[in-house]
Amino acid sequence: MNVVKSLKRLKWYELIIWFGSMLVITFSYLCFSRSGVLSLITSLIGVTALIFVGKGDVLGQFLTVVFSIFYGVVSFRFHYWGEMITYLGMTAPIAMGAVITWLKNPYKKGEVRVRHTTPLLWTTLSCLAIIVTAVFYFILRYFNTPNLIVSTISITTSFMAASLTMLRSSYYALFYSANDIVLIVLWILATFSDISYLPMVLCFACFLLNDLYGFINWQRMKKDQRTIRSGCN
C-alpha cells in the first residue's frame, strides 16, 4: 500500500466528489456544530475512506478502521449506544478483516479483485444478519437506546455492508447506501431537538453520494476484470 500512489490514482471527478464532500462537511460544522473538532475530524476521515473504498483501494479499509474508532467515540458522546456498539464491535473488526482479504486478492492498478456473489453466500449472510440483528436489538434495548427501531435497522444494513466489503462484493455499496439513509433519518430525528446535529445529517448525505459512486465504480471494475480474464482464456 502506497498512499502517494493511491492519491495519484484518483481521477479528476473523484477529486471533485472528495473535496466537494469535505467542503460541505467542514462548512456545516463551522456554521452549526457545537460538538467540537472531533466530530469534524471523524467525518472527514469517513468521507476520505469512502472515496478509496470506492476505488477498490485497500487504503480505504485502513481508514475505515480509524473512522470506526472515532465514530464510536462521537456516538458515545451523543449517547447513541447503537452506533457506538455497531462501529466498535462490528464495523471496525470486519474492516480489519477486509484489510487482510483485500491484500490477499490484489488486482492491477491498485484495485482489489472483485468477487462474484453466489446464492449460497447471500443465504448465509442473510441468516447471519438476522441473528446479529436479534442479538443487538436486545443489547440496544437494555441500554435504552433512543430511536430503537431505526438503530436496529442500522445494525442490519451495517452488518451486510461491512461483510460484503470484506468479501469483495460490489453490492457492499448498496447496503452502505441503505445504511446512510437510515443514519440520515436517525440524525434528522436528533436535529429536531438540537440544530447542532445538522452537520451529521449533511455528513451522511455526503457519505451516500460517495457510496453510490462506489457502487457504480465497482460495477465498472467487475466488468473490466471479467473482460480481461475472458481475453486471457
Side-chain angles (χ1 to χ4, degrees):
M1 183 185 69
N2 187 306
V3 175
V4 175
K5 287 184 178 180
S6 294
L7 290 171
K8 288 182 177 180
R9 281 194 291 266
L10 292 176
K11 296 181 173 59
W12 64 268
Y13 50 84
E14 293 167 339
L15 289 171
I16 291 176
I17 295 173
W18 181 24
F19 284 112
S21 298
M22 290 198 295
L23 283 175
V24 170
I25 291 170
T26 302
F27 180 77
S28 66
Y29 272 92
L30 292 176
C31 292
F32 299 103
S33 180
R34 299 194 300 270
S35 58
V37 70
L38 181 61
S39 295
L40 174 58
I41 293 174
T42 300
S43 299
L44 295 179
I45 293 173
V47 80
T48 301
L50 288 179
I51 199 67
F52 288 105
V53 171
K55 289 282 290 183
D57 192 320
V58 71
L59 174 61
Q61 290 303 325
F62 279 101
L63 291 173
T64 299
V65 175
V66 177
F67 167 74
S68 298
I69 295 171
F70 275 70
Y71 186 66
V73 174
V74 171
S75 298
F76 172 79
R77 293 174 60 187
F78 287 142
H79 298 155
Y80 268 171
W81 312 119
E83 293 302 291
M84 181 192 74
I85 295 171
T86 300
Y87 276 83
L88 293 181
M90 184 175 68
T91 304
I94 294 178
M96 286 188 282
V99 170
I100 297 172
T101 60
W102 284 31
L103 287 174
K104 288 184 176 180
N105 293 274
Y107 198 71
K108 68 173 188 177
K109 299 180 182 178
E111 292 179 357
V112 67
R113 188 178 297 276
V114 182
R115 177 178 178 175
H116 175 67
T117 46
T118 63
L120 176 60
L121 180 62
W122 283 113
T123 301
T124 303
L125 282 179
S126 298
C127 292
L128 289 174
I130 292 173
I131 295 172
V132 170
T133 302
V135 171
F136 271 82
Y137 169 80
F138 290 106
I139 294 175
L140 300 183
R141 191 175 69 172
Y142 175 80
F143 284 105
N144 295 316
T145 303
N147 304 307
L148 179 59
I149 299 302
V150 180
S151 294
T152 303
I153 294 172
S154 177
I155 297 293
T156 307
T157 53
S158 294
F159 174 79
M160 291 295 293
S163 298
L164 288 167
T165 304
M166 184 175 67
L167 294 170
R168 299 174 286 112
S169 168
S170 62
Y171 294 103
Y172 86 90
L174 291 184
F175 281 94
Y176 266 131
S177 296
N179 189 60
D180 293 333
I181 294 172
V182 172
L183 294 178
I184 288 171
V185 172
L186 196 64
W187 288 105
I188 285 177
L189 294 174
T191 303
F192 286 151
S193 59
D194 190 338
I195 192 64
S196 66
Y197 291 159
L198 179 61
M200 294 303 294
V201 177
L202 297 177
C203 170
F204 282 105
C206 290
F207 281 20
L208 177 59
L209 172 64
N210 280 267
D211 283 323
L212 291 174
Y213 169 73
F215 178 70
I216 294 171
N217 193 55
W218 273 62
Q219 290 294 95
R220 177 199 61 77
M221 288 165 49
K222 181 167 63 175
K223 180 180 178 181
D224 290 347
Q225 292 177 17
R226 183 185 298 140
T227 300
I228 291 175
R229 286 198 297 268
S230 298
C232 293
N233 293 332

